[in-house]
Amino acid sequence: MLLAFSVSPAAGDDSGSVSAAVAAAIRVVRESGLPHETTAMFTTVEGEWDEVMAVVKRACDAVGQYSSRTSLVLKADIRPGFTGQLQAKVERVESLLSDSPDP
């Protein structure tokens, strides 16, 4: 499964920043050893259902250290029997884009 998630405290620091809390969540993802990718809005993790959800829970717990309220957004692609899709999905689209001229 691929699971894209965004987790942050409901309120930032005095400047409104949530960067420290988000960094704590991303640290949890990196330490998990699962394939992952972080973009400006989401972190995507690839693995089996239980291991991916355990990472999300630990990331939420890490963010919870910064605020009494946590916001979590999830989006999942559940496709049993497929692995390596974090890169493969993008490669398939890029291949199609390189094979056809722009309109």
Side-chain angles (χ1 to χ4, degrees), residues 45-94:
V45 182
E46 184 170 13
E48 297 298 321
W49 181 276
D50 290 340
E51 61 189 359
V52 168
M53 288 303 191
V55 169
V56 171
K57 182 183 183 321
R58 289 194 309 272
C60 288
D61 290 344
V63 168
Q65 299 297 312
Y66 291 82
S67 175
S68 61
R69 191 172 189 178
T70 302
S71 173
L72 173 65
V73 176
L74 299 171
K75 181 175 182 180
D77 180 359
I78 303 165
R79 196 172 182 196
F82 285 79
T83 59
Q85 296 302 296
L86 193 61
Q87 288 83 30
K89 289 177 77 164
V90 175
E91 289 169 359
R92 286 191 295 272
V93 171
E94 289 294 339

Side-chain angles (χ1 to χ4, degrees), residues 93-103:
V93 171
E94 289 294 339
S95 174
L96 290 170
L97 290 170
S98 67
D99 290 345
S100 62
D102 290 332

Side-chain angles (χ1 to χ4, degrees), residues 2-27:
L2 290 177
L3 187 123
F5 75 102
S6 173
V7 60
S8 67
D13 62 19
D14 292 340
S15 71
S17 177
V18 297
S19 296
V22 171
I26 293 171
R27 188 172 295 111

